[in-house]
Amino acid sequence: GASMPLVGLGTWKAGTGEVAAAVKHALKTGYRHLDCASDYANEAEVGQGIAEAIKEFDIKREDIWVTSKLWNTNHSKEHVRWACEESLKDLGLEYLDLYLIHFPIAMKHTEETKRSGAPRGPDGKVEFAPVSIMETWQAMEE
């Protein structure tokens, strides 16, 4: 089985234009676990930092543990694979070491919120989707 590093760099709320340098520096100083998510809206910059660190330092992709997460609006079977592939594309990676369900709450899938955010109805309330956790889980196993 795989061994996940216990300490990792979280990329939530990392500032635009700062994430790539932070990831590169973290990898240079010995971090080997990166925690990412589509909802953080910075996976492309995380990927840039990974690519730069691999190129400039003696680090191999297989030595880095990368976690990403499925956003709430992509819990339906037809959206799970797409969401994972988008994270891979943004990160510039061929595989993830761990792909999690960000929250076990399914929200309505819309173009505006398919990568992050929460869909809201005319009343301002979050619009949820009737997707079972089992449907999401099964799609993630594929």
Side-chain angles (χ1 to χ4, degrees), residues 27-118:
L27 291 170
K28 179 182 179 181
T29 59
Y31 279 80
R32 292 297 180 265
H33 182 181
L34 302 173
D35 178 69
C36 312
S38 172
D39 184 50
Y40 302 167
N42 60 15
E43 286 187 323
E45 284 189 58
V46 171
Q48 178 186 346
I50 293 170
E52 289 175 10
I54 288 172
K55 184 178 178 181
E56 294 179 32
F57 312 123
D58 189 25
I59 300 172
K60 296 178 185 155
R61 164 59 184 101
E62 56 268 20
D63 295 331
I64 305 168
W65 182 280
V66 181
T67 298
S68 190
K69 301 171 200 78
L70 177 72
W71 185 235
N72 302 349
T73 58
N74 295 312
H75 282 217
S76 295
K77 180 177 179 149
E78 64 268 20
H79 300 126
V80 170
R81 180 177 294 277
W82 171 86
C84 182
E85 289 172 352
E86 285 296 297
S87 283
L88 286 168
K89 183 173 70 175
D90 287 347
L91 290 163
L93 301 176
E94 294 181 12
Y95 67 93
L96 294 168
D97 298 283
L98 180 62
Y99 194 54
L100 301 169
I101 297 171
H102 204 136
F103 297 104
I105 301 165
M107 295 180 189
K108 180 180 175 183
H109 181 87
T110 68
E111 280 301 307
E112 295 80 27
T113 61
K114 67 184 181 182
R115 296 178 69 103
S116 67

